[in-house]
């Protein structure tokens, strides 16, 4: 074996991160193929590489049998004992059959096979590296675009951002740095394929984990997310410690934390509401920024009827029903919104069986951060 091959093994191990054992296995398999092909041999052989001595040897392997049917694969017990008296039936006899000019022929023939095995090993390493990152957020660089996908470089692999996973209205240019959410990693004949998304609710969850230490540390928990990517989202949060304001933690001082996420999502509006196990309170919170007078719950139909002040009806419903739609997704309850006047005419408000939701006159520090974002919801 030439020193060049040894140097190549060492370089591949250091540069590509492929273990020496994988490389040796690939080379040995290639040399077996080379021996059979170039020396017209059909026998069972094994190639032994000695990296310390820089040598390679070929050994034939024959099963010890009573009666030989194929002398290329079998040897009689009598002949085996002539080699070594310790041999018994079903043992394997190995004898060196290394051709004189095997080194040169083997190097030429094995090159392509070794290259392929190395490529497969590299792909395996990349797959294992990224399969553990499914449902995680990564930062990539836009490399190229075609009619269907945008390809984002993630280092050793190029991820595909399909059209249906792109935020409508966003533009992507080569060399742009963007954050994406890994939705799927799978093996293919061309290597690992990574699919990423900009629209997945998980992207919003990971962004909040990055920006809000209380969420990352588990002090504040994201309970649910409803998202219409590029336009508006709602998330519900809950603090296990009553002394902590979960909404305020997510918004941050003067809205700094949530604004950072809004900027990353190119202006996507984000409502942060407090989760409650009481559907009355949760549904009322979910319709933020609208004020709610009353929530009536029908558990059998998993539905609620919500009463809001007349001047808040448009805000509660939102443009094209978006606020109500997102609130329903966030809570898992059907929501029917009534104005106070209509509810009184129908005789459903006030109701002795319903729960009164007081309208807050005061606004907390974080409520005025997004007050200008929703003025168009009343159109």
């Amino acid at each position: 074996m030439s020193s060049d091959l040894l140097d190549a093994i060492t370089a591949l191990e250091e540069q590509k991160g492929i273990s020496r054992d994988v490389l040796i296995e690939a080379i040995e398999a290639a040399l077996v193929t080379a021996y059979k092909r170039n020396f017209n041999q059909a026998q069972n052989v094994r190639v032994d590489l000695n990296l310390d001595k820089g040598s390679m040897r070929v050994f034939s392997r024959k099963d010890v049998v009573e009666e030989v049917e194929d002398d290329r694969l079998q040897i009689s017990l009598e002949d085996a004992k002539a080699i070594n008296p310790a041999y018994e039936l079903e043992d394997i006899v190995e004898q060196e059959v290394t051709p004189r000019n095997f080194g040169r022929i083997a190097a030429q023939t094995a090159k392509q096979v070794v290259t392929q095995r190395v490529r497969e090993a590299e792909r395996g390493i990349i797959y294992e590296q990224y399969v553990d990152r499914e449902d995680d957020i990564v930062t990539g660089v836009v490399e190229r675009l075609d009619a269907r996908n945008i390809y984002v470089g993630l280092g050793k692999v190029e991820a595909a951002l399909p059209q249906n996973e792109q935020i409508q209205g966003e533009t992507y240019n080569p060399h742009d740095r963007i954050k994406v959410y890994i939705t799927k990693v799978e093996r293919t004949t061309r290597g690992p394929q990574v699919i990423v998304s900009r629209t997945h609710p998980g992207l919003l969850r990971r962004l909040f984990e990055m920006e809000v230490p209380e969420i990352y540390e588990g002090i504040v928990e994201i309970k649910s997310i409803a998202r219409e990517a590029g336009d508006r989202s709602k998330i519900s949060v809950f603090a296990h410690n009553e002394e902590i304001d979960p909404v305020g933690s997510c918004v941050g001082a003067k809205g700094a934390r949530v604004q950072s996420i809004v900027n990353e999502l190119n202006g996507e509006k984000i409502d942060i509401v407090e989760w409650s196990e009481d559907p009355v309170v949760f549904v009322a919170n979910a319709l933020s920024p609208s004020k709610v007078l009353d929530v009536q719950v029908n558990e059998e139909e998993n539905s609620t009827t919500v009463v809001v002040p007349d001047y808040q009806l448009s805000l509660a419903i939102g443009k094209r029903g978006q606020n109500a739609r997102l609130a329903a997704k966030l809570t898992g309850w059907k929501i029917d919104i009534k104005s106070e006047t209509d509810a009184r005419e129908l005789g459903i408000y006030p109701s002795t069986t319903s729960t009164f939701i007081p309208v807050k006159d005061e606004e907390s520090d974080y409520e005025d951060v997004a007050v200008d974002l929703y003025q168009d919801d009343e159109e």
Side-chain angles (χ1 to χ4, degrees):
M1 191 192 314
S2 69
S3 61
D4 290 342
L5 186 54
L6 288 173
D7 292 341
I9 292 174
T10 303
L12 286 169
E13 184 177 26
E14 294 175 353
Q15 297 173 10
K16 302 294 186 180
I18 304 172
S19 72
R20 177 167 294 208
D21 291 341
V22 171
L23 291 170
I24 295 302
E25 180 184 351
I27 294 171
E28 288 179 346
L31 295 181
V32 169
T33 302
Y35 175 79
K36 292 182 177 181
R37 181 183 302 163
N38 287 275
F39 296 93
N40 198 25
Q41 296 292 324
Q43 65 199 74
N44 187 19
V45 297
R46 175 180 70 85
V47 173
D48 178 65
L49 301 180
N50 189 319
L51 296 180
D52 295 329
K53 296 181 180 179
S55 64
M56 64 178 76
R57 297 194 298 169
V58 183
F59 293 89
S60 68
R61 294 168 57 85
K62 296 183 178 181
D63 296 325
V64 179
V65 297
E66 284 279 7
E67 185 177 345
V68 176
E69 296 180 356
D70 188 339
D71 59 7
R72 296 171 302 176
L73 305 174
Q74 299 170 328
I75 186 172
S76 68
L77 179 60
E78 181 181 353
D79 290 343
K81 287 185 174 293
I83 298 171
N84 188 330
Y87 281 124
E88 300 291 343
L89 288 173
E90 298 184 2
D91 284 347
I92 296 176
V93 175
E94 290 193 345
Q95 292 179 295
E96 185 173 356
V97 292
T98 309
R100 180 174 300 178
N101 61 341
F102 180 61
R104 177 180 58 82
I105 296 173
Q108 294 173 349
T109 309
K111 182 178 179 180
Q112 184 177 359
V113 179
V114 171
T115 301
Q116 178 62 28
R117 290 294 295 272
V118 168
R119 186 180 296 116
E120 291 173 359
E122 284 184 308
R123 289 173 174 174
I125 291 172
I126 294 172
Y127 174 80
E128 293 300 330
Q129 178 183 352
Y130 283 95
V131 73
D132 293 335
R133 301 203 66 180
E134 279 190 358
D135 303 323
D136 200 0
I137 188 173
V138 293
T139 300
V141 178
V142 176
E143 294 187 344
R144 57 191 178 91
L145 301 80
D146 63 22
R148 295 184 302 171
N149 300 320
I150 291 170
Y151 297 92
V152 182
L154 302 180
K156 293 183 178 180
V157 70
E158 189 178 65
L161 177 62
Q163 194 170 38
N164 63 339
E165 299 291 350
Q166 299 168 22
I167 295 178
Q168 189 174 4
E170 269 194 346
T171 57
Y172 307 92
N173 300 305
H175 310 301
D176 284 351
R177 294 182 66 83
I178 59 173
K179 286 184 171 63
V180 291
Y181 183 80
I182 298 178
T183 59
K184 183 188 297 184
V185 180
E186 56 188 6
R187 295 183 187 270
T188 69
T189 55
R190 296 184 177 182
Q193 183 178 45
V194 180
I195 307 298
V196 295
S197 172
R198 287 276 292 171
T199 63
H200 198 285
L203 177 64
L204 193 58
R205 180 183 294 274
R206 294 302 187 195
L207 286 172
F208 271 96
E209 289 175 354
M210 292 172 62
E211 292 293 333
V212 183
E214 290 87 346
I215 293 179
Y216 181 79
E217 295 169 4
I219 300 172
V220 173
E221 180 183 352
I222 296 176
K223 286 290 191 177
S224 58
I225 297 175
R227 187 177 183 206
E228 294 186 1
D231 194 0
R232 188 170 179 178
S233 297
K234 288 180 180 283
I235 73 166
S236 66
V237 292
F238 174 75
H240 298 279
N241 186 337
E242 293 182 357
E243 296 181 0
I244 294 176
D245 177 6
V247 177
S249 298
C250 295
V251 173
K254 297 183 179 180
R257 290 177 175 175
V258 70
Q259 190 59 50
S260 176
I261 298 171
V262 169
N263 292 342
E264 172 59 36
L265 299 177
N266 293 319
E268 182 175 316
K269 301 174 185 178
I270 302 173
D271 294 341
I272 306 169
V273 304
E274 187 170 359
W275 176 87
S276 173
E277 62 182 355
D278 183 348
V280 171
V281 177
F282 189 21
V283 169
N285 291 345
L287 285 169
S288 172
S290 170
K291 306 300 182 182
V292 173
L293 296 175
D294 188 22
V295 177
Q296 301 172 19
V297 177
N298 185 330
E299 294 187 356
E300 292 183 359
E301 297 183 4
N302 195 46
S303 65
T304 62
T305 300
V306 179
V307 181
V308 299
D310 291 357
Y311 71 96
Q312 292 269 292
L313 181 62
S314 297
L315 185 63
I317 296 173
K319 291 182 65 175
R320 300 179 298 278
Q322 185 184 64
N323 192 55
R325 184 168 60 250
L326 286 173
K329 290 180 181 178
L330 189 73
T331 61
W333 289 84
K334 297 176 184 177
I335 299 176
D336 181 19
I337 301 175
K338 303 287 186 184
S339 68
E340 181 180 359
T341 298
D342 288 344
R344 289 184 182 278
E345 289 178 356
L346 292 171
I348 62 174
Y349 179 77
S351 170
T352 56
T353 60
S354 64
T355 304
F356 177 69
I357 307 295
V359 178
K360 295 181 181 179
D361 293 327
E362 72 284 352
E363 291 185 340
S364 65
D365 292 339
Y366 56 80
E367 284 178 327
D368 59 5
V369 170
V371 94
D372 61 326
L373 296 178
Y374 305 105
Q375 292 175 350
D376 59 352
D377 283 356
E378 299 190 65
E379 294 179 0

